[in-house]
Amino acid sequence: MTSRPAIPRHIAIVMDGNGRWAKLRHRPRSFGHNAGRKAVREVVEGCLREGVEALTLFAFSSENWKRPEEEVGALMALFVRALDKETEELHAQGVRLRFVGDLTAFDEPLRERMQAAMAHTAGNRRLQLSVAVNYGGRWDIVQAARQAAAAVARGALRPEAIDEAMLGQRMCLAELPPLDLFIRTGGECRLSNFLLWQAAYAELHFTDTLWPDFDQACLHRAIEDYGRRERRYGRTGEQIASDKG
Ligand code: IPE
Ligand code: IPE
Ligand code: MG
């Protein structure tokens, strides 16, 4: 294991700043969300080019339902349009698409569309793209704990057997490489309830760039920044250096 891998295997992005981007242009917030689609295409292209294995995008948080009804409706409509339009292109690029989050909140036709897109791209291997919708990091931990509790109740699991590895296997994204790089656009330096468990040892990269302006060059800069970090996982810099030597 090298301490300074140049390319993160798994990147997650909080795609923030659409509303402010639209406001700067005196347009409705939904205009900014729509413009964000281009940035999604940019980061997918960038990950394919750089050889990143997994990309996880925060599209709608479990808290975003609190937004005005009109904005939530516009986001759902955009989501359906993007799903219909982009799935084929992603498939052609060798991208496997997954949706993570509490999907039970969505209506049946939308859920079916999501399932169909997941099934259609399930054999692809070049890039694992996960889109987090109605996702919350606390929800994720709760659902994993609930699965473990149910196994205990059926007598299939001893409480003493519940450890980090076991609970981790029940969290979203467990089948992917560990999260290496967590990016947030839009200038806020917070996690906003994204991937709380999975980000425990991720490198964090915050940029003021608003999401619709984020492009392959911005992604490349984030990857370069990551390449300069020393990941110590609790050990000392000297220990890491002697491992390499
Ligand atoms: C992120 O952009 C997109 C979603 C949360 C769906 P915002 O809509 O939060 O944009 P700002 O933060 O208000 O600029
Ligand atoms: C986080 O952004 C959620 C997504 C980008 C989908 P928010 O804009 O909702 O986060 P807060 O409210 O500023 O923390
Ligand atoms: Mg925001």
Side-chain angles (χ1 to χ4, degrees):
M1 191 180 78
T2 62
S3 60
R4 290 175 196 257
I7 301 295
R9 295 181 68 196
H10 184 174
I11 298 178
I13 309 182
V14 179
M15 309 186 287
D16 195 26
N18 298 349
R20 280 163 286 162
W21 187 91
K23 196 169 180 189
L24 285 168
R25 287 159 182 79
H26 310 286
R27 301 294 297 268
R29 295 178 59 85
S30 57
F31 182 69
H33 297 314
N34 215 23
R37 268 171 73 177
K38 180 170 164 287
V40 172
R41 287 195 288 268
E42 285 279 319
V43 290
V44 167
E45 290 277 353
C47 285
L48 288 167
R49 212 174 65 181
E50 308 255 6
V52 173
E53 293 168 53
L55 172 67
T56 301
L57 300 175
F58 203 9
F60 193 85
S61 77
S62 44
E63 288 74 34
N64 286 147
W65 297 107
K66 295 178 196 161
R67 292 192 176 197
E69 214 179 299
E70 191 192 334
E71 182 172 349
V72 172
L75 279 165
M76 292 302 141
L78 167 67
F79 194 42
V80 172
R81 277 203 307 280
L83 197 54
D84 286 349
K85 281 210 164 167
E86 313 286 350
T87 304
E88 214 37 64
E89 172 67 16
L90 291 170
H91 183 53
Q93 289 171 306
V95 177
R96 178 175 187 172
L97 181 60
R98 282 193 186 89
F99 294 94
V100 296
D102 183 1
L103 306 185
T104 61
F106 300 106
D107 61 26
E108 193 55 35
L110 179 50
R111 257 173 24 214
E112 276 172 18
R113 274 183 161 99
M114 290 193 266
Q115 293 298 346
M118 289 195 268
H120 186 52
T121 60
N124 295 334
R125 293 286 173 271
R126 274 187 78 204
L127 176 67
Q128 310 285 312
L129 174 62
S130 306
V131 178
V133 283
N134 192 25
Y135 177 88
R138 288 176 176 172
W139 164 82
D140 198 357
I141 295 167
V142 167
Q143 67 79 25
R146 196 178 286 156
Q147 283 183 46
V152 170
R154 326 187 267 283
L157 182 70
R158 286 176 303 110
E160 305 75 50
I162 300 177
D163 59 13
E164 290 184 17
M166 186 268 176
L167 210 53
Q169 281 160 19
R170 288 174 158 80
M171 305 282 304
C172 290
L173 315 180
E175 65 281 19
L176 299 176
L179 182 60
D180 290 319
L181 175 59
F182 182 111
I183 298 173
R184 181 172 185 141
T185 63
E188 309 293 355
C189 297
R190 55 177 171 255
L191 305 184
S192 297
N193 198 19
F194 193 37
L195 302 177
L196 299 181
W197 176 284
Q198 296 85 343
Y201 264 107
E203 297 297 326
L204 308 180
H205 176 93
F206 297 102
T207 169
D208 288 335
T209 303
L210 302 173
W211 177 247
D213 293 327
F214 198 83
D215 61 11
Q216 291 188 49
C218 300
L219 180 73
H220 187 71
R221 278 196 292 278
I223 292 174
E224 276 182 340
D225 178 28
Y226 170 84
R228 288 188 290 271
R229 308 284 179 91
E230 181 178 66
R231 306 184 78 187
R232 291 192 285 274
Y233 298 98
R235 308 207 303 158
T236 67
E238 288 71 21
Q239 287 176 301
I240 303 296
S242 73
D243 267 5
K244 279 196 290 181

PDB file of all heavy atoms in Angstrom, residues 15-21 29 33 59-60 64 67 71 75, ligand 1:
ATOM      1  N   MET A  15     -22.717  18.116  -4.745  1.00  0.00           N
ATOM      2  CA  MET A  15     -22.866  19.024  -5.890  1.00  0.00           C
ATOM      3  C   MET A  15     -23.653  20.256  -5.430  1.00  0.00           C
ATOM      4  O   MET A  15     -24.864  20.330  -5.604  1.00  0.00           O
ATOM      5  CB  MET A  15     -23.615  18.305  -7.016  1.00  0.00           C
ATOM      6  CG  MET A  15     -23.030  16.923  -7.369  1.00  0.00           C
ATOM      7  SD  MET A  15     -23.817  16.170  -8.795  1.00  0.00           S
ATOM      8  CE  MET A  15     -25.427  15.692  -8.142  1.00  0.00           C
ATOM      9  N   ASP A  16     -22.960  21.212  -4.835  1.00  0.00           N
ATOM     10  CA  ASP A  16     -23.664  22.346  -4.212  1.00  0.00           C
ATOM     11  C   ASP A  16     -23.388  23.658  -4.952  1.00  0.00           C
ATOM     12  O   ASP A  16     -22.316  23.845  -5.521  1.00  0.00           O
ATOM     13  CB  ASP A  16     -23.229  22.456  -2.740  1.00  0.00           C
ATOM     14  CG  ASP A  16     -24.167  23.348  -1.941  1.00  0.00           C
ATOM     15  OD1 ASP A  16     -25.357  23.473  -2.323  1.00  0.00           O
ATOM     16  OD2 ASP A  16     -23.718  23.930  -0.939  1.00  0.00           O
ATOM     17  N   GLY A  17     -24.372  24.548  -4.905  1.00  0.00           N
ATOM     18  CA  GLY A  17     -24.184  25.895  -5.457  1.00  0.00           C
ATOM     19  C   GLY A  17     -25.052  26.212  -6.661  1.00  0.00           C
ATOM     20  O   GLY A  17     -24.913  27.290  -7.256  1.00  0.00           O
ATOM     21  N   ASN A  18     -25.953  25.311  -7.012  1.00  0.00           N
ATOM     22  CA  ASN A  18     -26.813  25.548  -8.189  1.00  0.00           C
ATOM     23  C   ASN A  18     -27.697  26.780  -8.023  1.00  0.00           C
ATOM     24  O   ASN A  18     -27.881  27.561  -8.952  1.00  0.00           O
ATOM     25  CB  ASN A  18     -27.741  24.348  -8.431  1.00  0.00           C
ATOM     26  CG  ASN A  18     -26.989  23.080  -8.730  1.00  0.00           C
ATOM     27  OD1 ASN A  18     -25.780  23.115  -8.954  1.00  0.00           O
ATOM     28  ND2 ASN A  18     -27.691  21.955  -8.730  1.00  0.00           N
ATOM     29  N   GLY A  19     -28.268  26.928  -6.823  1.00  0.00           N
ATOM     30  CA  GLY A  19     -29.192  28.035  -6.561  1.00  0.00           C
ATOM     31  C   GLY A  19     -28.482  29.373  -6.673  1.00  0.00           C
ATOM     32  O   GLY A  19     -28.983  30.316  -7.304  1.00  0.00           O
ATOM     33  N   ARG A  20     -27.287  29.456  -6.088  1.00  0.00           N
ATOM     34  CA  ARG A  20     -26.530  30.714  -6.140  1.00  0.00           C
ATOM     35  C   ARG A  20     -26.065  31.015  -7.566  1.00  0.00           C
ATOM     36  O   ARG A  20     -26.050  32.163  -7.999  1.00  0.00           O
ATOM     37  CB  ARG A  20     -25.337  30.652  -5.163  1.00  0.00           C
ATOM     38  CG  ARG A  20     -25.778  30.919  -3.717  1.00  0.00           C
ATOM     39  CD  ARG A  20     -24.736  30.462  -2.730  1.00  0.00           C
ATOM     40  NE  ARG A  20     -24.724  29.006  -2.615  1.00  0.00           N
ATOM     41  CZ  ARG A  20     -23.715  28.313  -2.102  1.00  0.00           C
ATOM     42  NH1 ARG A  20     -22.642  28.947  -1.666  1.00  0.00           N
ATOM     43  NH2 ARG A  20     -23.795  26.997  -2.012  1.00  0.00           N
ATOM     44  N   TRP A  21     -25.730  29.975  -8.294  1.00  0.00           N
ATOM     45  CA  TRP A  21     -25.302  30.151  -9.702  1.00  0.00           C
ATOM     46  C   TRP A  21     -26.452  30.776 -10.504  1.00  0.00           C
ATOM     47  O   TRP A  21     -26.235  31.697 -11.293  1.00  0.00           O
ATOM     48  CB  TRP A  21     -24.924  28.786 -10.278  1.00  0.00           C
ATOM     49  CG  TRP A  21     -24.319  28.787 -11.643  1.00  0.00           C
ATOM     50  CD1 TRP A  21     -22.991  28.858 -11.959  1.00  0.00           C
ATOM     51  CD2 TRP A  21     -25.021  28.685 -12.890  1.00  0.00           C
ATOM     52  NE1 TRP A  21     -22.818  28.811 -13.315  1.00  0.00           N
ATOM     53  CE2 TRP A  21     -24.046  28.702 -13.917  1.00  0.00           C
ATOM     54  CE3 TRP A  21     -26.368  28.580 -13.246  1.00  0.00           C
ATOM     55  CZ2 TRP A  21     -24.388  28.615 -15.268  1.00  0.00           C
ATOM     56  CZ3 TRP A  21     -26.704  28.500 -14.591  1.00  0.00           C
ATOM     57  CH2 TRP A  21     -25.723  28.515 -15.580  1.00  0.00           C
ATOM     58  N   ARG A  29     -34.070  29.132  -9.368  1.00  0.00           N
ATOM     59  CA  ARG A  29     -33.137  28.115  -8.870  1.00  0.00           C
ATOM     60  C   ARG A  29     -33.102  26.879  -9.775  1.00  0.00           C
ATOM     61  O   ARG A  29     -32.056  26.263  -9.960  1.00  0.00           O
ATOM     62  CB  ARG A  29     -33.537  27.702  -7.438  1.00  0.00           C
ATOM     63  CG  ARG A  29     -33.407  28.826  -6.409  1.00  0.00           C
ATOM     64  CD  ARG A  29     -33.868  28.354  -5.033  1.00  0.00           C
ATOM     65  NE  ARG A  29     -33.080  27.211  -4.605  1.00  0.00           N
ATOM     66  CZ  ARG A  29     -31.907  27.307  -3.988  1.00  0.00           C
ATOM     67  NH1 ARG A  29     -31.398  28.492  -3.712  1.00  0.00           N
ATOM     68  NH2 ARG A  29     -31.250  26.228  -3.651  1.00  0.00           N
ATOM     69  N   HIS A  33     -30.187  24.131 -11.301  1.00  0.00           N
ATOM     70  CA  HIS A  33     -30.177  22.662 -11.211  1.00  0.00           C
ATOM     71  C   HIS A  33     -30.004  22.059 -12.606  1.00  0.00           C
ATOM     72  O   HIS A  33     -29.262  21.103 -12.804  1.00  0.00           O
ATOM     73  CB  HIS A  33     -31.474  22.148 -10.584  1.00  0.00           C
ATOM     74  CG  HIS A  33     -31.664  22.605  -9.172  1.00  0.00           C
ATOM     75  ND1 HIS A  33     -30.661  22.541  -8.244  1.00  0.00           N
ATOM     76  CD2 HIS A  33     -32.745  23.123  -8.515  1.00  0.00           C
ATOM     77  CE1 HIS A  33     -31.106  23.012  -7.077  1.00  0.00           C
ATOM     78  NE2 HIS A  33     -32.365  23.368  -7.224  1.00  0.00           N
ATOM     79  N   ALA A  59     -27.214  13.992  -5.015  1.00  0.00           N
ATOM     80  CA  ALA A  59     -28.168  14.711  -5.870  1.00  0.00           C
ATOM     81  C   ALA A  59     -29.334  15.288  -5.079  1.00  0.00           C
ATOM     82  O   ALA A  59     -29.883  16.332  -5.446  1.00  0.00           O
ATOM     83  CB  ALA A  59     -28.693  13.773  -6.952  1.00  0.00           C
ATOM     84  N   PHE A  60     -29.736  14.592  -4.004  1.00  0.00           N
ATOM     85  CA  PHE A  60     -30.906  15.049  -3.231  1.00  0.00           C
ATOM     86  C   PHE A  60     -30.812  14.435  -1.836  1.00  0.00           C
ATOM     87  O   PHE A  60     -30.773  13.216  -1.689  1.00  0.00           O
ATOM     88  CB  PHE A  60     -32.196  14.595  -3.937  1.00  0.00           C
ATOM     89  CG  PHE A  60     -33.435  15.251  -3.407  1.00  0.00           C
ATOM     90  CD1 PHE A  60     -33.842  16.499  -3.886  1.00  0.00           C
ATOM     91  CD2 PHE A  60     -34.209  14.632  -2.434  1.00  0.00           C
ATOM     92  CE1 PHE A  60     -34.996  17.110  -3.398  1.00  0.00           C
ATOM     93  CE2 PHE A  60     -35.359  15.238  -1.944  1.00  0.00           C
ATOM     94  CZ  PHE A  60     -35.762  16.471  -2.421  1.00  0.00           C
ATOM     95  N   ASN A  64     -33.583  17.679   1.842  1.00  0.00           N
ATOM     96  CA  ASN A  64     -33.982  18.578   0.751  1.00  0.00           C
ATOM     97  C   ASN A  64     -35.491  18.603   0.502  1.00  0.00           C
ATOM     98  O   ASN A  64     -35.988  19.496  -0.190  1.00  0.00           O
ATOM     99  CB  ASN A  64     -33.228  18.254  -0.545  1.00  0.00           C
ATOM    100  CG  ASN A  64     -31.775  18.684  -0.541  1.00  0.00           C
ATOM    101  OD1 ASN A  64     -30.916  18.034  -1.137  1.00  0.00           O
ATOM    102  ND2 ASN A  64     -31.449  19.797   0.133  1.00  0.00           N
ATOM    103  N   ARG A  67     -37.432  21.894   1.150  1.00  0.00           N
ATOM    104  CA  ARG A  67     -37.407  23.043   0.240  1.00  0.00           C
ATOM    105  C   ARG A  67     -38.814  23.339  -0.283  1.00  0.00           C
ATOM    106  O   ARG A  67     -39.709  22.500  -0.180  1.00  0.00           O
ATOM    107  CB  ARG A  67     -36.459  22.747  -0.926  1.00  0.00           C
ATOM    108  CG  ARG A  67     -35.031  22.675  -0.447  1.00  0.00           C
ATOM    109  CD  ARG A  67     -34.049  22.664  -1.575  1.00  0.00           C
ATOM    110  NE  ARG A  67     -32.705  22.682  -1.037  1.00  0.00           N
ATOM    111  CZ  ARG A  67     -31.614  22.984  -1.710  1.00  0.00           C
ATOM    112  NH1 ARG A  67     -31.724  23.308  -2.982  1.00  0.00           N
ATOM    113  NH2 ARG A  67     -30.436  22.970  -1.133  1.00  0.00           N
ATOM    114  N   GLU A  71     -39.706  23.847  -5.926  1.00  0.00           N
ATOM    115  CA  GLU A  71     -38.319  23.448  -6.222  1.00  0.00           C
ATOM    116  C   GLU A  71     -38.172  21.923  -6.166  1.00  0.00           C
ATOM    117  O   GLU A  71     -37.512  21.323  -7.023  1.00  0.00           O
ATOM    118  CB  GLU A  71     -37.340  24.118  -5.250  1.00  0.00           C
ATOM    119  CG  GLU A  71     -35.903  23.751  -5.588  1.00  0.00           C
ATOM    120  CD  GLU A  71     -34.852  24.531  -4.794  1.00  0.00           C
ATOM    121  OE1 GLU A  71     -35.213  25.510  -4.117  1.00  0.00           O
ATOM    122  OE2 GLU A  71     -33.668  24.127  -4.858  1.00  0.00           O
ATOM    123  N   LEU A  75     -36.997  19.576  -9.237  1.00  0.00           N
ATOM    124  CA  LEU A  75     -35.868  18.639  -9.114  1.00  0.00           C
ATOM    125  C   LEU A  75     -36.277  17.225  -9.530  1.00  0.00           C
ATOM    126  O   LEU A  75     -35.526  16.534 -10.223  1.00  0.00           O
ATOM    127  CB  LEU A  75     -35.331  18.633  -7.678  1.00  0.00           C
ATOM    128  CG  LEU A  75     -34.378  19.784  -7.333  1.00  0.00           C
ATOM    129  CD1 LEU A  75     -34.202  19.911  -5.832  1.00  0.00           C
ATOM    130  CD2 LEU A  75     -33.016  19.570  -8.010  1.00  0.00           C
TER     131      LEU A  75
HETATM  132  C1  IPE B   1     -27.321  21.823  -4.732  1.00  0.00           C
HETATM  133  O1  IPE B   1     -27.434  23.174  -5.007  1.00  0.00           O
HETATM  134  C2  IPE B   1     -28.405  20.990  -5.358  1.00  0.00           C
HETATM  135  C3  IPE B   1     -29.342  20.379  -4.401  1.00  0.00           C
HETATM  136  C4  IPE B   1     -29.272  20.487  -3.120  1.00  0.00           C
HETATM  137  C5  IPE B   1     -30.423  19.602  -4.948  1.00  0.00           C
HETATM  138  P1  IPE B   1     -28.318  24.134  -4.092  1.00  0.00           P
HETATM  139  O2  IPE B   1     -29.704  24.144  -4.622  1.00  0.00           O
HETATM  140  O3  IPE B   1     -28.187  23.751  -2.663  1.00  0.00           O
HETATM  141  O4  IPE B   1     -27.622  25.537  -4.370  1.00  0.00           O
HETATM  142  P2  IPE B   1     -27.321  26.669  -3.301  1.00  0.00           P
HETATM  143  O5  IPE B   1     -26.507  26.059  -2.224  1.00  0.00           O
HETATM  144  O6  IPE B   1     -28.630  27.192  -2.806  1.00  0.00           O
HETATM  145  O7  IPE B   1     -26.552  27.693  -4.098  1.00  0.00           O
END
